[in-house]
């Protein structure tokens, strides 16, 4: 049994001041023009491009890469934005290694795909540096009004496409800043230089979109009232609840929701003032688990462990993300599930983990217990829809909103997209596609 401490060792300023800027610098710096040219020339420009089929937003990847290779990054960006108006952020955060790059012919032939994500960023960053507005013109006013609730990727994509069609959009968001998880939920080293906020301004530059912050469904927004006041409603409210571990002492200091801490980190003006434990344990196996683990390590935590209840091959985090964690000194402990949280003097001091095994497809505990010292235990075991916000008006499945292929809900005038809908992928690019598809369906319904 590992000895526990009488008090937590949580402190700010664990590193020299200059270390923070270095640790949280851009994970993938922007390609230089020559580098982009060389990389673009590696593309075979496949006619029946598997990369395009693997892209949730169906960007014409061979076309935008060919435009880069011919010295036309502006045209390349327009090709990207035509299908994905948040192409800049998606180039930074998409797990391209499991999407377009995984099926790249270069990858299957020689194990080295064309760096599609990096090329997409090269084009979109070039365009946004040269232009203050999107390459789209707002359509003639239709007189129709749509309420978009949630200014994350799905909401922004939906609002922009609706504005292109000439509809007036009111974009509501619960937070002070728009952007959703792009602003509050991703690792800081994936999106530097306030890019999320700049992209929001870029999207809103189309005009015809009024942003109202501090507006939360179930609080000062009511779905029935929105339906009565607007011609259509699009819900992109995300998942506001966090799954609990269901353990004693979970309410004690040091037991923390990973998404909340990441949001604090993303909004911090001075990372040296953000307190972090010396010993950190993260419960979970997805992207959020990796994001919080790596970032606490970069903040100066000495020992960081991700504990996951199944094998490493079952983790939702991609191989690249797992390798990123390990190369930053994060340990990945598999086949271990939380059994109890140890607390002393009102604070977490350790966590007990039970070894698990797979018995005919069923996860069971073995009875063997491991104890790890922990000043902080981060919960990254998924988020849930706050169903009370919907007032029981919509059909749900497994705690998420049921939608059809057009992202229409069980109500004729309400559509939904992003993390809050059933059967979707928890990816920024998938949320953008939801918003785009819903906008086209709303436009068709209002034009009938």
């Amino acid at each position: 049994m590992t000895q526990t401490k009488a008090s937590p060792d949580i402190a700010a300023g664990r590193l020299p001041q200059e270390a923070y800027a270095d640790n949280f610098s851009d994970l993938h710096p922007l390609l230089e023009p020559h580098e982009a040219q060389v990389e673009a020339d590696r593309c075979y420009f496949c006619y029946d491009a598997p990369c395009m089929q693997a892209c949730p937003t169906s960007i014409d990847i061979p076309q935008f890469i060919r435009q880069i290779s011919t010295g036309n990054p502006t045209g390349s960006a327009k090709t990207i934005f035509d299908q994905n108006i948040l192409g800049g952020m998606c180039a930074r955060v998409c797990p391209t290694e499991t999407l377009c790059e995984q099926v790249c012919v270069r990858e299957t032939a020689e194990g080295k795909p064309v760096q599609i994500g990096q090329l997409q960023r090269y084009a979109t960053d070039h365009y946004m540096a040269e232009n203050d507005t999107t390459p789209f013109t707002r359509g003639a006013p239709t007189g129709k009004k749509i309420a978009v609730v949630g200014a994350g990727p799905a909401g922004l994509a939906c609002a922009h496409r609706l504005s292109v069609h000439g509809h007036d959009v009111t974009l509501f968001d619960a937070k002070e800043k728009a952007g959703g998880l792009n602003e509050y939920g991703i690792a800081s080293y994936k999106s530097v230089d306030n890019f999320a906020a700049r992209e929001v301004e870029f999207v809103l530059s189309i005009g015809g979109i009024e942003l109202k912050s501090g507006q939360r469904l179930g609080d000062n927004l009511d779905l029935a009232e929105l339906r009565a006041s607007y011609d259509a409603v699009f819900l992109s409210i995300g998942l506001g609840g966090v799954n609990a571990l269901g353990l004693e002492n979970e309410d004690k200091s040091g037991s923390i929701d990973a998404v909340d801490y990441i949001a604090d980190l993303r909004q911090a003006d001075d990372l040296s003032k953000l307190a972090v434990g010396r010993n950190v344990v993260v419960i979970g196996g997805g992207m959020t688990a990796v994001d919080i683990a790596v970032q606490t390590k970069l903040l100066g935590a000495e020992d960081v462990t991700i504990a996951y209840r199944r094998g490493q091959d079952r983790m939702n985090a991609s191989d690249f993300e797992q390798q990123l964690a390990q190369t930053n000194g994060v340990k990945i402990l598999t086949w271990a599930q939380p059994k109890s949280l140890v607390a002393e003097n009102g604070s977490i001091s350790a966590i007990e983990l039970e070894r698990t095994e797979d018995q005919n497809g069923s996860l069971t505990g073995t009875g063997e217990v491991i104890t790890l010292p922990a000043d902080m235990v981060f919960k990254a075991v998924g988020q849930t829809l706050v169903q009370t916000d919907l007032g029981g008006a919509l059909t749900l499945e497994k705690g998420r909103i049921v939608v059809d292929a057009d992202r229409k809900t069980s109500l004729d005038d309400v559509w939904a997209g992003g993390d809050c809908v059933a059967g979707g992928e928890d990816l920024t690019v998938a949320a953008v596609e939801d918003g785009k598809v819903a906008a086209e369906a709303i436009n068709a319904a209002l034009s009938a």
Side-chain angles (χ1 to χ4, degrees):
M1 187 80 165
T2 303
Q3 290 292 317
T4 59
K5 306 174 298 303
S7 60
D9 189 352
I10 300 174
R14 291 191 177 277
L15 303 173
Q17 186 66 42
E18 62 273 13
Y20 293 98
D22 185 53
N23 284 357
F24 287 88
S25 61
D26 206 331
L27 180 63
H28 297 296
L30 183 65
L31 294 176
E32 295 293 335
H34 176 70
E35 293 175 316
Q37 185 77 41
V38 170
E39 191 60 29
D41 286 343
R42 294 186 62 237
C43 182
Y44 288 136
F45 310 116
C46 306
Y47 173 74
D48 188 18
C51 57
M52 185 174 172
Q53 297 175 40
C55 175
T57 56
S58 301
I59 292 172
D60 191 337
I61 295 172
Q63 173 70 3
F64 92 68
I65 295 180
R66 185 183 296 277
Q67 288 169 306
I68 291 174
S69 72
T70 57
N72 183 16
T74 297
S76 176
K78 289 180 179 179
T79 298
I80 295 163
F81 290 137
D82 185 60
Q83 295 299 320
N84 184 346
I85 194 59
L86 273 73
M89 182 60 81
C90 287
R92 289 162 165 79
V93 304
C94 268
T96 52
E97 65 276 4
T98 63
L99 296 171
C100 53
E101 292 178 14
Q102 184 180 53
V103 298
C104 175
V105 174
R106 286 278 193 181
E107 166 65 19
T108 56
E110 58 196 58
K112 187 180 180 182
V114 175
Q115 296 179 57
I116 298 170
Q118 285 287 77
L119 289 173
Q120 180 169 314
R121 178 178 171 183
Y122 174 78
T124 54
D125 275 26
H126 168 84
Y127 188 93
M128 292 177 68
E130 298 289 329
N131 300 274
D132 293 329
T133 62
T134 73
F136 298 91
T137 302
R138 176 164 158 72
T142 64
K144 301 294 185 180
K145 301 187 303 177
I146 297 95
V148 175
V149 185
L156 288 168
C158 183
H160 183 273
R161 185 60 67 98
L162 288 169
S163 182
V164 169
H165 286 301
H167 305 304
D168 293 322
V169 179
T170 304
L171 182 59
F172 300 95
D173 198 81
K175 300 280 191 179
E176 178 184 349
K177 297 180 181 180
L181 290 179
N182 286 354
E183 175 63 43
Y184 292 96
I186 63 173
S188 291
Y189 49 78
K190 294 179 181 177
S191 175
V192 302
D193 299 329
N194 208 27
F195 181 78
R198 290 191 286 116
E199 187 174 56
V200 168
E201 292 180 5
F202 179 71
V203 171
L204 298 184
S205 70
I206 185 72
I209 305 171
E210 180 185 9
L211 175 63
K212 292 186 176 182
S213 59
Q215 304 290 305
R216 183 183 178 278
L217 196 65
D219 185 2
N220 50 3
L221 280 184
D222 180 77
L223 181 56
E225 292 178 3
L226 290 174
R227 294 178 64 201
S229 302
Y230 292 85
D231 296 293
V233 177
F234 178 71
L235 300 177
S236 50
I237 54 178
L239 301 173
V242 178
N243 288 328
L245 300 177
L247 301 177
E248 187 179 358
N249 294 323
E250 195 168 347
D251 60 341
K252 297 295 190 291
S253 176
S255 173
I256 306 166
D257 293 337
V259 290
D260 291 341
Y261 190 91
I262 291 174
D264 289 343
L265 191 155
R266 289 277 297 163
Q267 301 304 309
D269 293 326
D270 185 353
L271 292 175
S272 68
K273 295 181 179 178
L274 196 63
V276 67
R278 188 177 299 276
N279 295 297
V280 172
V281 177
V282 178
I283 306 300
M287 302 285 274
T288 300
V290 170
D291 282 354
I292 189 64
V294 172
Q295 290 185 110
T296 53
K297 188 68 175 176
L298 295 178
L299 285 171
E302 291 184 4
D303 192 283
V304 180
T305 301
I306 293 175
Y308 180 58
R309 59 182 180 158
R310 296 186 184 276
Q312 195 163 340
D313 61 323
R314 297 287 297 276
M315 292 177 68
N316 286 331
S318 67
D319 289 344
F320 171 80
E321 292 290 333
Q322 294 176 40
Q323 291 165 12
L324 178 66
Q326 292 172 315
T327 55
N328 277 280
V330 174
K331 303 170 187 173
I332 298 179
L333 175 64
T334 55
W335 299 108
Q337 63 185 4
K339 184 176 185 294
S340 66
L341 294 171
V342 180
E344 296 183 17
N345 302 321
S347 298
I348 300 298
S349 60
I351 182 170
E352 293 183 348
L353 301 157
E354 182 182 15
R355 285 289 189 183
T356 58
E357 62 183 8
D358 190 327
Q359 291 188 350
N360 300 319
S362 178
L363 188 72
T364 59
T366 66
E368 180 186 352
V369 176
I370 307 165
T371 303
L372 299 179
D375 307 299
M376 287 177 154
V377 173
F378 287 100
K379 294 172 283 186
V381 289
Q383 296 173 265
T384 57
L385 180 70
V386 182
Q387 299 181 25
T388 54
D389 295 348
L390 302 173
L394 299 173
T395 300
L396 305 179
E397 179 182 286
K398 295 181 179 179
R400 299 198 186 189
I401 302 170
V402 174
V403 295
D404 64 14
D406 289 330
R407 288 17 173 217
K408 180 185 281 189
T409 71
S410 53
L411 299 174
D412 284 342
D413 56 351
V414 180
W415 286 256
D419 292 349
C420 66
V421 302
E425 296 180 85
D426 295 336
L427 297 173
T428 297
V429 66
V432 171
E433 180 69 2
D434 284 350
K436 183 178 71 177
V437 169
E440 293 297 343
I442 292 170
N443 178 63
L446 297 182
S447 302

